[in-house]
Amino acid sequence: MQATSNLLNLLLLSLLAGLDPSKTQISPKEGWQVYSSAQDPDGRCICTVVAPEQNLCSRDAKSRQLRQLLEKELKEKMDELLPLIPVLEQYKTDAKLITQFKEEIRNLSAVLTGIQEEIGAYDYEELHQRVLSLETRLRDCMKKLTCGKLMKITGPITVKTSGTRFGAWMTDPLASEKNNRVWYMDSYTNNKIVREYKSIADFVSGAESRTYNLPFKWAGTNHVVYNGSLYFNKYQSNIIIKYSFDLGRVLAQRSLEYAGFHNVYPYTWGGFSDIDLMADEIGLWAVYATNQNAGNIVISQLNQDTLEVMKSWNTGYPKRSAGESFMICGTLYVTNSHLTGAKVYYSYSTKTSTYEYTDIPFHNQYFHISMLDYNARDRALYAWNNGHQVLFNVTLFHIIKTEDDT
């Protein structure tokens, strides 16, 4: 303000001194522009207003430098902001998804509320009694299912690949639903070690829970676990051993009278498979051959505690022509080979003491079966197929008993 006041004073002094303002006028070439002027009655100029030209700043070097700096700074800011554009776009997309999720949650909440209201209509004890009633009815229905006749074999399902070409693996058909222990016996001779696994999953992963060192070597691969005990054929004999896993000792042993052993009457694949021990819905069985029956298969039902023969049936099927065999509901099913193309070819019913020739094929996936046993609890065939532990599903034809049946 002080500088402006001094400038005005200087202009007034010039006017009073009769100076010619035109001599003090700044030329437009110097960057100034005349905006207005005043004259006295004689036509003399007494006042002139001048100001810088509008484009003076654009020609100034400092102004251009300032503008360049501003443009550079703005460009840098824009470069920083550009990468945020995709982020904003993604945010918009995420916001849409969040909105959809909120809507789905609201819908689900409404469904759950409806279910809770429906459940709330019943008393817990009432629901529990209804479940128990359904279980009782299911058990009653299962009791009416008589033993079935084998109609079909499907599979196999490969559970694991391990061991040699020959061996046995099994579960206990009389075990509770919570007891799913697996026993594994590799090879058909010169072995006494039984490996135990708590479940099929542990068996697959190889997580052993326990091993048993039997007092005798076994012969063949046709062992069976039944009601907590292992039944096997003692090596180089026709003696059957009952070994308790829980007690870790032999509970019984008995010679199977006249039974051939040590590859006298084996299955087609050999391997000291003369005596085959098995179990089904009815009980414990031994399948073997004798000279007295001309080398044909003999079926004997055994007492599971004493191993005494309770009853025997002589069949007309040569033991050496059988690939493998298994019992289902008191009927023996015999395969015609242990190799590719094998099928269930012959069956013998101990209930009627009759036989028939059958034609039930199954897929011998790994070309060599050295063990084939039925498990009544699982309704499945356990097999050792050339170093593979496999399961076959079976289809049985059931007859439902009515109240009038005796």
Side-chain angles (χ1 to χ4, degrees):
M1 290 295 296
Q2 183 65 34
T4 305
S5 178
N6 293 337
L7 180 59
L8 290 175
N9 290 333
L10 179 61
L11 290 173
L12 289 174
L13 290 173
S14 300
L15 290 173
L16 292 174
L19 295 175
D20 185 0
S22 61
K23 292 181 181 180
T24 62
Q25 184 176 357
I26 300 175
S27 171
K29 292 182 181 180
E30 298 177 359
W32 294 84
Q33 181 177 355
V34 177
Y35 271 83
S36 64
S37 60
Q39 297 177 351
D40 60 11
D42 297 328
R44 291 178 300 179
C45 179
I46 60 174
C47 178
T48 301
V49 178
V50 296
E53 292 184 4
Q54 293 181 358
N55 59 353
L56 177 63
C57 292
S58 63
R59 296 197 306 265
D60 184 70
K62 291 185 178 180
S63 299
R64 285 197 303 271
Q65 186 178 7
L66 178 61
R67 181 178 179 181
Q68 290 173 357
L69 289 174
L70 289 174
E71 289 178 351
K72 182 179 179 182
E73 185 176 355
L74 286 173
K75 186 177 183 303
E76 290 176 353
K77 292 294 183 182
M78 289 300 297
D79 291 341
E80 292 177 3
L81 293 174
L82 282 175
L84 296 178
I85 294 177
V87 176
L88 293 173
E89 293 296 330
Q90 183 62 45
Y91 174 79
K92 289 167 60 179
T93 304
D94 292 344
K96 291 180 181 178
L97 286 176
I98 292 172
T99 302
Q100 293 176 3
F101 290 156
K102 286 182 178 179
E103 185 64 27
E104 291 179 9
I105 291 172
R106 278 194 291 268
N107 295 338
L108 183 59
S109 298
V111 172
L112 291 175
T113 301
I115 292 175
Q116 289 174 346
E117 291 175 354
E118 183 176 350
I119 293 176
Y122 298 97
D123 182 73
Y124 172 78
E125 281 300 323
E126 181 184 353
L127 287 172
H128 184 62
Q129 291 302 320
R130 290 176 65 181
V131 170
L132 292 178
S133 175
L134 287 173
E135 289 180 348
T136 302
R137 289 169 60 189
L138 180 60
R139 283 194 295 268
D140 292 341
C141 182
M142 291 298 292
K143 290 178 182 177
K144 293 181 180 180
L145 289 177
T146 63
C147 272
K149 180 180 179 180
L150 180 65
M151 303 299 293
K152 185 179 181 182
I153 300 175
T154 56
I157 299 170
T158 301
V159 177
K160 189 176 181 179
T161 300
S162 64
T164 63
R165 292 183 67 193
F166 317 98
W169 72 294
M170 64 214 85
T171 60
D172 190 343
L174 294 186
S176 65
E177 292 183 0
K178 294 182 179 180
N179 183 352
N180 295 301
R181 288 186 293 175
V182 177
W183 291 273
Y184 178 88
M185 301 169 70
D186 191 13
S187 186
Y188 65 86
T189 186
N190 292 326
N191 200 349
K192 298 193 297 180
I193 303 300
V194 181
R195 305 183 189 281
E196 180 183 284
Y197 304 85
K198 289 184 178 180
S199 65
I200 290 286
D202 284 352
F203 173 61
V204 172
S205 66
E208 294 180 21
S209 61
R210 189 174 176 182
T211 59
Y212 302 88
N213 191 355
L214 302 178
F216 312 106
K217 295 178 181 179
W218 63 71
T221 59
N222 307 115
H223 333 292
V224 65
V225 174
Y226 189 70
N227 199 23
S229 293
L230 170 68
Y231 297 81
F232 67 96
N233 177 207
K234 184 180 178 181
Y235 180 59
Q236 290 187 331
S237 74
N238 59 6
I239 296 174
I240 301 173
I241 305 293
K242 177 184 179 180
Y243 178 88
S244 171
F245 285 126
D246 292 336
L247 300 176
R249 61 183 177 87
V250 173
L251 297 184
Q253 56 181 312
R254 184 177 294 273
S255 175
L256 194 58
E257 192 175 18
Y258 305 122
F261 62 92
H262 204 62
N263 274 346
V264 173
Y265 295 118
Y267 287 128
T268 54
W269 64 274
F272 306 140
S273 56
D274 304 69
I275 298 174
D276 192 350
L277 301 171
M278 55 189 72
D280 67 353
E281 293 85 350
I282 295 175
L284 184 65
W285 305 86
V287 173
Y288 54 99
T290 64
N291 291 334
Q292 289 75 7
N293 195 37
N296 294 323
I297 289 176
V298 177
I299 307 169
S300 292
Q301 187 173 7
L302 305 179
N303 181 297
Q304 64 170 305
D305 297 320
T306 65
L307 302 179
E308 290 180 294
V309 174
M310 299 166 59
K311 187 176 180 179
S312 292
W313 293 260
N314 292 330
T315 77
Y317 197 91
K319 177 72 162 53
R320 283 180 167 274
S321 298
E324 275 290 341
S325 67
F326 52 90
M327 294 287 292
I328 298 180
C329 299
T331 296
L332 179 70
Y333 294 92
V334 182
T335 69
N336 64 345
S337 174
H338 65 282
L339 300 173
T340 303
K343 61 183 178 180
V344 176
Y345 181 72
Y346 176 91
S347 67
Y348 187 96
S349 171
T350 60
K351 182 178 181 180
T352 61
S353 297
T354 60
Y355 71 91
E356 67 175 323
Y357 289 96
T358 60
D359 187 6
I360 305 175
F362 61 94
H363 183 38
N364 189 349
Q365 184 171 352
Y366 302 106
F367 318 119
H368 190 289
I369 291 179
S370 60
M371 171 250 176
L372 187 65
D373 277 332
Y374 173 71
N375 186 294
R377 186 186 73 164
D378 299 337
R379 295 286 177 90
L381 293 172
Y382 282 64
W384 191 290
N385 196 341
N386 205 8
H388 303 267
Q389 293 73 53
V390 304
L391 289 173
F392 291 94
N393 292 317
V394 298
T395 300
L396 305 180
F397 177 74
H398 291 282
I399 300 173
I400 301 177
K401 293 186 292 186
T402 63
E403 299 297 336
D404 297 331
D405 294 335
T406 57

